Amino acid sequence: MVSSLITIAVIAWLAQLALGGWQIRQFNRAFDKLCQQGRVGVGRSGGRFKPRVVVAIALDNENNVADTLLMRGLTVFARPQKIAALQGKSLQDLQPDVIFPHDPLCQNALSLALKLKHG
């Protein structure tokens, strides 16, 4: 009985490692494509027991949104998605509370992504 529980725990741990690595590879591919679009701002919010949210925004030379990336979830099954509402908008027109009116985690991540780091 104990050995079967240990075996199940080891299998679950190995599955977690494999799925986590797969998730990271998918995110890195999407992020690399995003970085080729222009300057990129990244914001992250969430906590240990809340779904994490990662928002990345690529801006072109005119400070318009060239591409976006949103990854939200609590498990390894979260996948990178696009934020269609932001495509082509100016940096000055982006208001996190208007874009995500009922999602404070996405609002926080977007506001952090809009504060581009220079240098």
Side-chain angles (χ1 to χ4, degrees):
M1 179 68 179
V2 172
S3 64
S4 62
L5 288 175
I6 291 172
T7 303
I8 290 171
V10 168
I11 290 171
W13 179 67
L14 290 174
Q16 172 73 22
L17 286 175
L19 290 171
W22 183 51
Q23 182 185 43
I24 289 170
R25 273 193 305 279
Q26 283 193 328
F27 177 80
N28 284 340
R29 280 191 211 130
F31 189 72
D32 285 343
K33 288 180 187 175
L34 190 73
C35 288
Q36 294 172 358
Q37 302 288 322
R39 295 180 306 140
V40 176
V42 179
R44 181 181 68 111
S45 69
R48 188 167 184 87
F49 298 108
K50 292 185 205 173
R52 293 223 177 194
V53 176
V54 176
V55 174
I57 297 175
L59 299 174
D60 61 14
N61 293 334
E62 291 83 32
N63 281 335
N64 294 324
V65 177
D67 203 1
T68 59
L69 176 73
L70 169 69
M71 198 158 150
R72 165 183 26 196
L74 193 59
T75 67
V76 294
F77 298 110
R79 297 289 164 250
Q81 304 167 350
K82 303 283 182 189
I83 308 171
L86 299 181
Q87 289 300 116
K89 289 195 175 183
S90 173
L91 179 65
Q92 291 77 21
D93 296 338
L94 300 180
Q95 297 176 345
D97 55 335
V98 173
I99 296 166
F100 298 109
H102 304 293
D103 195 342
L105 292 175
C106 286
Q107 288 176 12
N108 187 29
L110 180 57
S111 65
L112 291 172
L114 294 175
K115 298 175 184 171
L116 298 172
K117 304 243 188 308
H118 298 287

